[in-house]
């Protein structure tokens, strides 16, 4: 199905309604996903205890590494596919879709086999004490296979959205999240299965989510699944373009690993459990901002292909304005309800962990002011096919600056709060993001991308 530019609301529809058409389902879907993860934490913290919550947090660096690779293919691929669709080349977009999905399935299977065969060395590398191994195993041995389904669903989710079906993509996330929450109630709270029950709930939810997404193939769609025999070099270019997304996820994992090591050294298991609670709140804010930024992948990439610089600029203003307003609301919610939110995740007996979580949040709140804008600019640069500056922002906010500042505060300035490193990293990255946004504004990128067209127009 070929769609002319005049029939495509991304290219010709009113800016704010079109922005909300893509942003609201994306935010709703990611909020549903976030809610499921937060509910996991609520049930685990209250019914399995702070040690189980810490065991789950220690596994996060491995999960973020794997999800980062899937997102690299999903976002890098959909940005390239969006440009193909904007240029009226649906066959090229469909081939790239098949390559990204097949590569992700293969990646998940290889990771599952390797991680299970190296289970205990992996746990040690993640900073876990041997007494936590049984708790980690009860979750890891189930979720490892569920991750194959999850990361495949991530790729399908992004491609379904880029072909103009954000409602179906959001429905899939909502079904998965709802299933996860219900099964948490039954398996973790009802049958007291602890981390094993949480892993089963997540895996079953991933299967149902994928089944909903597969309804895309029943309709009139431009992306068809096939087994491409050539053109696999394009997959490498898509991965390169999405490298900032891998950096974002992998860097979060590395920084989480470093934080876990330092917190275990300073505060023990209670410190890791306390940061897990606070990290759920950070995760919630980022999912809201990523929902808006993900809409930009579609809106910007299509208009880049069509050469519409002013329209890209107007969509970016819409995204930045919305993120600014949401940041204010999130800060108000944290200031008013922080203590109540923290107590939701911990049993009444975990008093020390709760007090530490309150102390951590008092240090971390400034990052919520600018982290959404940093995410938006990084995704914008990816959508504009500027992977290096996008990667520079991603690397600065999620790895280089946090890791360097954590080491300084953890070893050389122990009198300073350790977690101050995270808001400092976001604010320093904010300066870099402003510079990159000025340097790679839409009109300049499009002029550089189409020199022959510009010359012909001048003639």
């Amino acid at each position: 199905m070929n769609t002319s530019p005049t029939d495509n609301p991304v290219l010709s529809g009113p800016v704010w309604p079109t922005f909300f058409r893509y942003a609201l389902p994306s935010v709703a879907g990611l909020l549903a996903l976030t809610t499921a993860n937060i509910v996991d934490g609520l049930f685990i913290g209250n019914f399995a205890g702070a040690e189980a919550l810490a065991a789950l947090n220690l596994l996060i660096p491995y999960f973020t590494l794997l999800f980062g690779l899937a997102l690299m293919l999903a976002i890098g691929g959909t940005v390239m596919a969006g440009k193909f669709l904007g240029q009226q080349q649906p066959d090229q977009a469909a081939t790239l879709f098949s390559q990204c999905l097949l590569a992700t399935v293969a990646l998940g299977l290889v990771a599952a086999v390797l991680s299970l065969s190296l289970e205990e060395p992996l746990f040690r590398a993640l900073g876990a004490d041997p007494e936590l191994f049984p708790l980690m195993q009860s979750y890891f041995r189930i979720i490892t296979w569920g991750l194959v389904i999850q990361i495949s669903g991530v790729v399908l989710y992004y491609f379904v959205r880029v072909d103009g079906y954000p409602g179906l993509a959001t429905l899939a996330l909502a079904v998965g999240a709802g299933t996860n929450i219900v099964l948490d109630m039954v398996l973790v709270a009802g049958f007291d299965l602890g981390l094993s029950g949480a892993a089963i709930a997540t895996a079953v939810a991933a299967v149902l989510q994928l089944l909903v997404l597969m309804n895309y193939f029943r309709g009139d769609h431009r992306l068809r699944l096939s087994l491409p025999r050539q053109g696999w070099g394009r997959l490498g270019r898509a991965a390169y373009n999405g490298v900032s997304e891998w950096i974002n996820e992998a860097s979060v994992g590395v920084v989480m690993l470093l934080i876990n090591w330092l917190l275990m050294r300073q505060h023990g298991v209670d410190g890791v459990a306390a940061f897990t609670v606070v990290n759920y709140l950070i995760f919630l804010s980022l999912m809201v901002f990523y929902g808006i930024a993900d809409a930009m992948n579609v809106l910007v990439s299509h208009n880049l292909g069509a050469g519409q610089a002013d329209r890209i600029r107007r969509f970016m203003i819409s995204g930045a304005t919305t993120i600014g307003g949401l940041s204010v609301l999130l800060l108000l919610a944290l200031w008013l309800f922080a203590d109540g939110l923290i107590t939701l995740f911990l049993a009444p007996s975990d008093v020390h962990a709760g007090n530490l979580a309150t102390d951590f949040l008092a240090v971390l709140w400034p990052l919520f002011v600018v982290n959404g804008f940093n995410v938006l600019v990084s995704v914008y640069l990816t959508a504009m096919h500027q992977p290096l500056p996008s990667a520079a922002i991603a690397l600065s906010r999620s790895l280089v600056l946090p890791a360097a500042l954590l080491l300084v505060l953890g070893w050389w300035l122990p009198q300073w709060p350790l977690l101050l490193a995270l808001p400092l990293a976001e604010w320093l990255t904010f300066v870099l993001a402003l510079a990159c946004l000025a340097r790679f504004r839409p009109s300049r990128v499009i002029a550089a991308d189409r020199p022959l067209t510009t010359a012909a127009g001048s003639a």
Side-chain angles (χ1 to χ4, degrees):
M1 182 184 71
N2 290 335
T3 304
S4 69
T6 56
D7 295 331
N8 187 346
V10 175
L11 300 180
S12 58
V15 170
W16 277 97
T18 303
F19 166 74
F20 283 122
R21 180 194 170 196
Y22 280 85
L24 288 179
S26 181
V27 170
L30 289 179
L31 277 178
L33 185 63
T34 305
T35 301
N37 287 324
I38 290 174
V39 170
D40 270 350
L42 288 170
F43 281 106
I44 291 169
N46 282 281
F47 291 94
E51 281 196 354
L53 203 57
L56 179 61
N57 191 60
L58 288 166
L59 289 169
I60 287 177
Y62 169 76
F63 297 151
T64 56
L65 175 64
L66 189 57
F67 269 96
L69 292 171
L71 284 172
M72 178 177 69
L73 294 171
I75 296 179
T78 51
V79 165
M80 188 177 289
K83 187 175 182 181
F84 283 138
L85 293 174
Q87 294 171 337
Q88 306 302 305
Q89 299 182 57
D91 290 342
Q92 299 287 342
T95 299
L96 183 59
F97 160 62
S98 298
Q99 292 169 338
C100 289
L101 187 58
L102 292 171
T104 302
V105 172
L107 170 68
L109 292 172
V110 170
V113 172
L114 288 177
S115 63
L116 288 173
S117 63
L118 299 170
E119 188 181 71
E120 290 198 3
L122 175 62
F123 292 169
R124 289 192 188 93
L126 292 171
D129 290 334
E131 58 265 25
L132 289 177
F133 285 6
L135 284 171
M136 297 171 75
Q137 287 168 343
S138 65
Y139 188 83
F140 191 71
R141 292 178 180 178
I142 297 170
I143 202 62
T144 295
W145 299 108
L147 284 171
V148 180
I149 305 297
Q150 277 192 308
I151 63 175
S152 302
V154 165
V155 173
L156 185 53
Y157 164 81
Y158 276 96
F159 275 95
V160 165
R161 289 178 64 250
V162 84
D163 194 29
Y165 295 87
L168 176 61
T170 302
L171 175 64
L173 289 186
V175 168
T179 301
N180 197 5
I181 292 169
V182 171
L183 290 179
D184 273 340
M185 294 173 62
V186 173
L187 300 176
V188 181
F191 289 95
D192 197 24
L193 294 181
L195 286 171
S196 296
I200 293 170
T202 301
V204 172
V207 171
L208 292 180
Q209 182 175 297
L210 185 63
L211 290 175
V212 173
L213 285 168
M214 289 178 68
N215 280 285
Y216 166 80
F217 297 109
R218 300 174 61 185
D220 185 16
H221 56 272
R222 292 178 285 182
L223 304 179
R224 300 175 303 279
L225 189 59
S226 62
L227 183 60
R229 301 192 176 202
Q230 56 187 1
W232 284 87
R234 186 182 294 133
L235 180 67
R237 294 194 295 275
Y240 174 68
N241 196 43
V243 71
S244 65
E245 308 309 322
W246 176 78
I247 289 172
N248 269 329
E249 291 294 313
S251 299
V252 166
V254 172
V255 171
M256 284 288 293
L257 183 61
L258 186 55
I259 289 173
N260 287 338
W261 282 345
L262 293 170
L263 288 176
M264 286 290 286
R265 176 172 168 260
Q266 292 186 1
H267 302 287
V269 173
D270 277 349
V272 176
F275 181 72
T276 305
V277 173
V278 174
N279 197 43
Y280 279 125
L281 303 179
I282 298 174
F283 181 57
L284 173 64
S285 74
L286 283 175
M287 287 302 101
V288 173
F289 299 142
Y290 270 116
I292 295 168
D294 281 346
M296 291 298 164
N297 274 321
V298 179
L299 301 173
V300 171
S301 63
H302 279 244
N303 282 285
L304 174 64
Q308 301 190 130
D310 183 64
R311 193 164 175 82
I312 294 172
R313 182 184 61 82
R314 292 165 67 194
F315 276 127
M316 282 295 292
I317 291 172
S318 302
T321 302
T322 305
I323 283 174
L326 289 173
S327 297
V328 172
L329 292 176
L330 284 169
L331 284 172
L332 287 174
L334 288 177
W335 288 334
L336 293 173
F337 307 113
D339 290 340
L341 291 171
I342 289 169
T343 57
L344 287 175
F345 290 89
L346 296 168
S349 57
D350 295 320
V351 176
H352 185 229
N355 291 335
L356 284 173
T358 301
D359 293 341
F360 291 166
L361 192 56
V363 173
L364 287 167
W365 71 264
L367 70 83
F368 295 102
V369 179
V370 294
N371 61 347
F373 184 79
N374 291 338
V375 166
L376 177 66
V377 175
S378 179
V379 171
Y380 160 78
L381 291 167
T382 297
M384 294 294 285
H385 290 237
Q386 302 297 323
L388 290 180
S390 177
I393 292 174
L395 198 60
S396 296
R397 68 173 292 270
S398 58
L399 178 60
V400 174
L401 292 174
L405 291 167
L406 281 167
L407 291 173
V408 168
L409 296 177
W411 268 279
W412 292 288
L413 293 172
Q415 69 274 19
W416 289 44
L418 174 67
L419 295 180
L420 184 62
L422 302 184
L424 283 175
E426 289 285 5
W427 277 91
L428 291 172
T429 302
F430 179 63
V431 176
L432 174 63
L434 289 176
C436 288
L437 192 60
R439 170 67 179 82
F440 296 100
R441 55 186 181 271
S443 57
R444 179 177 289 182
V445 172
I446 288 176
D449 191 43
R450 301 189 171 194
L452 294 179
T453 303
T454 303
S458 300

